[in-house]
Amino acid sequence: MEIDISLPVLYDYCNISTLEAKGEVTEQMRQINAKRIVIKVGTSTLTHSNGKLNLQAIDQLCYTLSGLVNEGKEVVLVSSGAIGVGLGILGLQSRPVAIPEQQAVASVGQTQLMTVYQQRFSVYGQKIGQILLTHDVVDYPISRQNALNTFENLLQLNVIPIVNENDAIAVDELDHHTKFGDNDQLSAIVAKAIGADLLIMLSDIDGFYDKNPRKFDDASLIDRVTEIDDATFKLAGGRGTKFGTGGMITKLKAAEIMLETKKAMVLANGENPSIIFKLLDGTNLGTLFMGTD
Ligand SMILES: Nc1ncnc2c1ncn2[C@@H]1O[C@H](COP(=O)(O)OP(=O)(O)O)[C@@H](O)[C@H]1O
Ligand SMILES: N[C@@H](CCC(=O)OP(=O)(O)O)C(=O)O
């Protein structure tokens, strides 16, 4: 297979060499020694504020994840963006209020997103598969097991499963709840179900701060969180952009799931997704959520 060593690879190395690591190599990250990793990227990482695709971030993400698979890691990507990308394609300034309209937007956006992933991953010879989930699939034991079988088979074949909520279908009705609602918790639910060692959450912010840094100039980054309680949730605010969902609250809920299962989560800035290499090397970037035992 022909591998195109083109622009994305070159600028990627430039980014890495100019990247400022904020701290020392942490022994904790080294200890995680993650083999099976779930990476979640938010809409704010994948799109610009004008709704267009952030091609640089997507290219670098595909390059990085392909590199991890080549190193022998098992990688699952949970990607948001269906609605944000759909809005951009359809030229809509904001998310429609009516649910069927939102679902139509998501349907268009998801197709475009997968087309771009297919193109960019294929540059690095990396195969991908799509898994669109609804809550009832993970709630019902048989469908849950079927989904897990698919994950296992894809990972055995060195394929990267790309997961999103099935936004074109999922609706919460009185007695039938199919929505996850946000991909932060979905990524932790997937990580837990497949027994991942680590969840890396890439967002538009450097990590978890003691208050919302978009509102408070004096907010400071928290390097390490060992447990999450009500006081932790009080530090979290809402979403950063009009396309994001949940803000920091859903990210903390995801971290809670990982801590409950004695696994770790790192929240870091997805502007340059190749920082994942540095993270896995033990560089202290973003916020590490990991218990002490
Ligand atoms: N304590 C906090 N620390 C960091 N970010 C916070 C905090 N409270 C609220 N936020 C907001 O959460 C946003 C990230 O969430 P979100 O907009 O949902 O992004 P994504 O699309 O990556 O899921 C940040 O841009 C920031 O504005
Ligand atoms: N499933 C939705 C994303 C929901 C979501 O959690 O978005 P984000 O806060 O950007 O991770 C979509 O693909 O648009």
Side-chain angles (χ1 to χ4, degrees), residues 231-286:
T232 325
F233 275 102
K234 289 210 176 87
L235 309 179
R239 65 188 180 159
T241 65
K242 62 178 174 174
F243 298 127
T245 308
M248 207 42 57
I249 293 168
T250 50
K251 289 174 189 19
L252 289 183
K253 286 184 178 168
E256 251 184 336
I257 296 173
M258 297 310 288
L259 289 174
E260 270 162 29
T261 50
K262 310 252 178 261
K263 297 288 162 72
M265 178 179 121
V266 176
L267 173 63
N269 199 321
E271 196 181 0
N272 294 312
S274 57
I275 63 157
I276 291 173
F277 288 128
K278 291 205 162 244
L279 274 173
L280 293 175
D281 220 19
T283 306
N284 186 12
L285 287 163

Side-chain angles (χ1 to χ4, degrees), residues 107-144:
S107 170
V108 171
Q110 180 67 23
T111 310
Q112 174 69 4
L113 206 52
M114 289 309 291
T115 304
V116 173
Y117 278 133
Q118 177 67 53
Q119 286 171 351
R120 297 323 303 166
F121 273 115
S122 69
V123 167
Y124 304 108
Q126 178 60 52
K127 290 174 282 238
I128 58 170
Q130 176 179 244
I131 301 188
L132 297 177
L133 290 172
T134 48
H135 215 301
D136 47 345
V137 169
V138 294
D139 286 345
Y140 292 101
I142 294 175
S143 51
R144 179 190 176 89

Side-chain angles (χ1 to χ4, degrees), residues 18-30:
T18 55
L19 198 152
E20 274 185 16
K22 290 204 203 73
E24 299 299 314
V25 168
T26 58
E27 203 42 48
Q28 291 98 331
M29 273 306 286
R30 282 202 188 289

